[in-house]
Amino acid sequence: MEYRRLGRSDIKVSVICLGTMTWGEQNTETEGHQQMDLALDRGVNFWDTAEMYSVPPRQETYGATETIIGTWLKSRGKRDRIVLASKIAGPDKRLTYLRDGKLPYDAKNIAAAVDASLKRLQTDYIDLYQLHWTERTTNGAARLGYEHLADETFTPFAETLLALQDQIKAGKIRMIGLSNESAWGTMRWLSESERLGLPRMMSIQNAYSLLNRSFEVGLAEVAIREDCGLLAYSPLGMGILSGKYIGGAAPATARLNRFQQFLRYRGSIAATATEKYVAIARRHGLDPAQMALAYVNSRPFLTANIIGATTLPQLEANIASIDIKLSPEVLNEIDAVNKEHTYPCP
């Protein structure tokens, strides 16, 4: 396993990060525990979760994933070996059941969310606490277009940073990070931290894969120059890049069919691009999924690649992508497809 520094902190995280959002929906508690055992055995010390998991979000499974992680931590006693990341949910019309549906990133909500997560996780602290998405309308969540709403309001960044600082001083969280954020937003968070001497954002968790390289437009430079590296989610495009769905072969139980918010990976252009990426892998004797993950692993702006799996063999293979180094020939062929299908998942 390889390890990289989390932002400007002294924390070292595995390049492969264990994604957990299926636990409590597609995976049972026992299966979640098995995945954690395997990941830790393979050197994966970085796990990512969120208060709203499992996915898709609904009241019946709210907090289920954190609860599963909590029972593992209690039974295994290995908290000191794990860098644990979680997220606070922001404003969302679907989440009427969470804190009365009022979810600004203010001190009251942050304190309540942190305490609830700590209780479910059965731990005294969270290593990396992230804002799951922006309060304002932006294009950080894998969209190229930006729609400006002139009358939109959101919690001032300084107010949110002060609230997060309180949680750090209380010893409940160690570091903070962003998710689904834009280049403008990331720079504003960083500048406010510097201006006021407040905690600094250490990472940004956005979608990134062969099917969605929008992060490279603006945010890649920010990540490198500001030491605010990418935590890449959906690196396989909800499994599309494994090649197993080519020709429409997606069972009803597949995440692709169960999670309607990820329909962008099902379009005809995405299918065409996927076929070409899979063909590259097979020409060079590579597993398509491992090639796609290895590409993400190799990016200079990446801190960690968040992989998710519903079975242990899938997890084993995904973790093994860390040992694959793509040749210049493969990288050139990948870039050729990207030039032809630059943004196949609008």
Side-chain angles (χ1 to χ4, degrees), residues 96-284:
T96 56
Y97 52 84
L98 179 56
R99 294 188 287 280
D100 297 323
K102 300 174 182 178
L103 303 172
Y105 292 137
D106 58 16
K108 179 180 178 181
N109 273 282
I110 288 172
V114 168
D115 285 344
S117 286
L118 290 174
K119 183 176 181 180
R120 288 188 292 268
L121 291 165
Q122 300 193 55
T123 185
D124 296 326
Y125 65 97
I126 296 168
D127 296 286
L128 176 66
Y129 199 62
Q130 305 154 100
L131 308 180
H132 205 152
W133 53 82
T134 62
E135 285 187 57
R136 67 191 195 283
T137 300
T138 187
N139 60 345
R143 291 189 297 110
L144 292 186
Y146 168 65
E147 178 185 0
H148 184 69
L149 302 179
D151 59 348
E152 194 170 39
T153 61
F154 50 90
T155 306
F157 290 178
E159 181 181 335
T160 299
L161 288 170
L162 282 166
L164 292 167
Q165 179 176 253
D166 288 343
Q167 297 302 307
I168 292 173
K169 287 182 176 179
K172 295 180 180 181
I173 60 178
R174 297 176 67 193
M175 302 293 163
I176 57 174
L178 300 166
S179 182
N180 296 304
E181 186 55 276
S182 68
W184 178 86
T186 303
M187 288 304 301
R188 285 291 296 164
W189 285 108
L190 295 174
S191 64
E192 285 294 272
S193 295
E194 183 174 351
R195 183 176 71 87
L196 300 171
L198 294 171
R200 178 184 177 85
M201 296 297 179
M202 296 295 179
S203 58
I204 174 170
Q205 183 176 150
N206 278 30
Y208 183 77
S209 70
L210 292 179
L211 291 176
N212 177 12
R213 292 171 57 175
S214 59
F215 189 87
E216 297 173 10
V217 184
L219 272 165
E221 182 179 11
V222 173
I224 293 172
R225 294 190 184 278
E226 299 294 334
D227 299 313
C228 187
L230 171 66
L231 308 183
Y233 74 79
S234 290
L236 290 177
M238 297 302 292
I240 285 283
L241 287 163
S242 68
K244 62 186 177 181
Y245 301 137
I246 286 178
T253 56
R255 275 188 285 174
L256 189 65
N257 285 325
R258 296 181 63 169
F259 303 161
Q260 293 301 304
Q261 63 267 49
F262 296 112
L263 287 176
R264 63 177 178 267
Y265 295 111
R266 297 205 62 176
S268 60
I269 301 175
T272 299
T274 297
E275 289 175 3
K276 293 181 179 181
Y277 288 127
V278 169
I280 292 171
R282 290 175 177 162
R283 276 199 305 274
H284 292 274

Side-chain angles (χ1 to χ4, degrees), residues 280 295 326-339:
I280 292 171
Y295 183 83
L326 302 180
S327 68
E329 184 178 5
V330 170
L331 293 172
N332 288 338
E333 291 184 28
I334 285 173
D335 281 342
V337 174
N338 181 62
K339 288 177 181 178

